[in-house]
Amino acid sequence: MEETIPFKNLHSREYQGHKKKVHSVAWNCNGTKLASGSVDQTARVWHIEPHGHGKVKDIELKGHTDSVDQLCWDPKHADLIATASGDKTVRLWDARSGRCSQQAELSGENINITYKPDGTYIAVGNRDDELTILDVRKFKPIHKRKFNYEVNEIAWNMTGDMFFLTTGNGTVEVLAYPSLRPLDTLMAHTAGCYCIAIDPIGRNFAVGSADSLVSLWDISEMLCVRTFTKLEWPVRTISFNHTGEYIASASEDLFIDISNVQTGQTVHQIPCRAAMNSVEWNPKCNLLAYAGDDKNKYQADEGVFRIFGFESSA
């Protein structure tokens, strides 16, 4: 019996709608919708069918007055999405109507946003290394903390009792939640840590760094299990697939690496034409959305993103 090669003969499809480059892509909790956030000050929601063809319906979320840098869906509600923007606001939207239902004015330019896995709180990070925790129901800040080091991506663990910050010092700061008391400092990399992903099973997390490595950590032991070494440029974005078997990572290298988490071996590489800003696996199937700094032949932003994993390209 010949071994099947994962991801072989699968195609990417391109989605156009934004006027400027796409910073962030994210799937809703049941994997039926994808949201994209762009420098053009809008987010868009796309209805994606794994086996569908042809034109895709999208809805525009309009209201921000600066770049939409990151977005995340409510982990318990397939039609609620939060966006973080350079305009200092965080907005909550209903993806069915495209209406903004809540808005919070914060103190700085927001660059990172993540939901607590039970959907009760949102954490927002800004350019001034300040963390704000919002109560989702009231949509008001309940906690604010400024750090004296560069804070990059942020994440809760699956049970919501630990909170992770990746830092410009190459460390991962582990805090207890909700007290935000420091639990551990992991000396993860020799250069700044840019991104973090928690595996959906909750066993591991991964960190991507400016040293071009991705490290895999055992969450219960807080020990580094292995590193992935395929990329040569600072790692900008990482994502685990829904089974936790594969990890995608991307940078300014002109490919996205997909590696087997257990063996550390590359199983597939997706060629890309520009530095990548965001890769994100669908939570239910092996579709990988990715977006980067694509430009057309006139060197203008293309405003596209792509999804890999279809059996045909149309």
Side-chain angles (χ1 to χ4, degrees):
M1 184 191 127
E2 71 178 90
E3 200 188 347
T4 57
I5 303 170
F7 310 112
K8 197 178 183 251
N9 302 328
L10 295 178
H11 300 270
S12 288
R13 293 182 188 169
E14 189 175 284
Y15 297 82
Q16 282 182 314
H18 287 289
K19 296 176 183 65
K20 290 188 176 158
K21 75 180 172 193
V22 177
H23 263 192
S24 179
V25 284
W27 295 93
N28 70 348
C29 58
N30 59 17
T32 55
K33 289 177 179 179
L34 184 91
S36 53
S38 167
V39 178
D40 70 10
Q41 308 183 356
T42 72
R44 283 175 182 262
V45 174
W46 312 72
H47 194 85
I48 310 287
E49 288 180 42
H51 307 290
H53 296 276
K55 188 138 174 54
V56 178
K57 295 198 296 287
D58 74 311
I59 182 164
E60 191 176 45
L61 311 180
K62 251 166 113 158
H64 281 296
T65 56
D66 201 342
S67 173
V68 179
D69 282 333
Q70 218 180 17
L71 33 76
C72 60
W73 292 84
D74 186 318
K76 300 290 184 201
H77 194 305
D79 287 301
L80 292 182
I81 181 168
T83 53
S85 166
D87 66 11
K88 301 187 178 183
T89 70
V90 173
R91 290 170 181 252
L92 192 66
W93 309 79
D94 185 315
R96 291 160 297 200
S97 63
R99 208 172 61 80
C100 174
S101 56
Q102 299 269 27
Q103 179 178 333
E105 292 272 350
L106 303 183
S107 53
E109 292 178 42
N110 304 308
I111 48 173
N112 284 302
I113 187 164
T114 189
Y115 260 95
K116 189 161 176 259
D118 65 5
T120 53
Y121 296 97
I122 291 172
V124 186
N126 71 18
R127 278 192 204 287
D128 307 317
D129 307 313
E130 190 172 38
L131 175 73
T132 302
I133 310 283
L134 289 169
D135 175 321
V136 172
R137 233 164 22 105
K138 303 189 180 75
F139 221 68
K140 293 268 187 293
I142 56 151
H143 209 108
K144 252 190 174 141
R145 177 166 306 180
K146 189 156 161 54
F147 294 92
N148 57 0
Y149 45 78
E150 178 189 309
V151 174
N152 293 316
E153 225 172 37
I154 51 181
W156 269 279
N157 66 343
M158 294 305 268
T159 46
D161 58 354
M162 278 195 280
F163 192 78
F164 298 90
L165 309 162
T166 57
T167 82
N169 311 332
T171 65
V172 178
E173 301 296 329
V174 186
L175 310 179
Y177 192 83
S179 70
L180 298 181
R181 188 170 55 76
L183 290 178
D184 214 340
T185 294
L186 309 178
M187 304 294 185
H189 289 269
T190 56
C193 296
Y194 285 166
C195 48
I196 185 165
I198 313 283
D199 106 54
I201 294 117
R203 277 184 313 216
N204 300 314
F205 65 94
V207 178
S209 164
D211 65 11
S212 83
L213 299 174
V214 174
S215 57
L216 182 76
W217 296 76
D218 179 305
I219 228 164
S220 57
E221 308 276 337
M222 290 293 169
L223 289 175
C224 181
V225 185
R226 70 180 50 82
T227 55
F228 303 88
T229 58
K230 271 296 183 289
L231 300 172
E232 289 183 11
W233 290 85
V235 183
R236 293 179 168 201
T237 174
I238 54 179
S239 177
F240 286 98
N241 81 325
H242 66 292
T243 60
E245 267 175 291
Y246 300 109
I247 187 166
S249 56
S251 62
E252 292 171 59
D253 291 271
L254 295 183
F255 62 86
I256 296 163
D257 182 70
I258 300 176
S259 286
N260 181 306
V261 170
Q262 291 312 312
T263 67
Q265 299 297 308
T266 291
V267 294
H268 190 73
Q269 289 183 343
I270 304 167
C272 42
R273 298 204 301 248
M276 286 292 112
N277 296 318
S278 183
V279 296
E280 182 101 18
W281 286 102
N282 184 296
K284 301 292 184 200
C285 65
N286 282 334
L287 291 178
L288 181 74
Y290 57 100
D293 295 343
D294 290 78
K295 300 215 182 309
N296 63 18
K297 63 184 181 202
Y298 306 110
Q299 289 305 299
D301 281 359
E302 278 205 310
V304 300
F305 67 89
R306 293 177 179 83
I307 299 175
F308 169 80
F310 293 107
E311 276 155 26
S312 71
S313 56

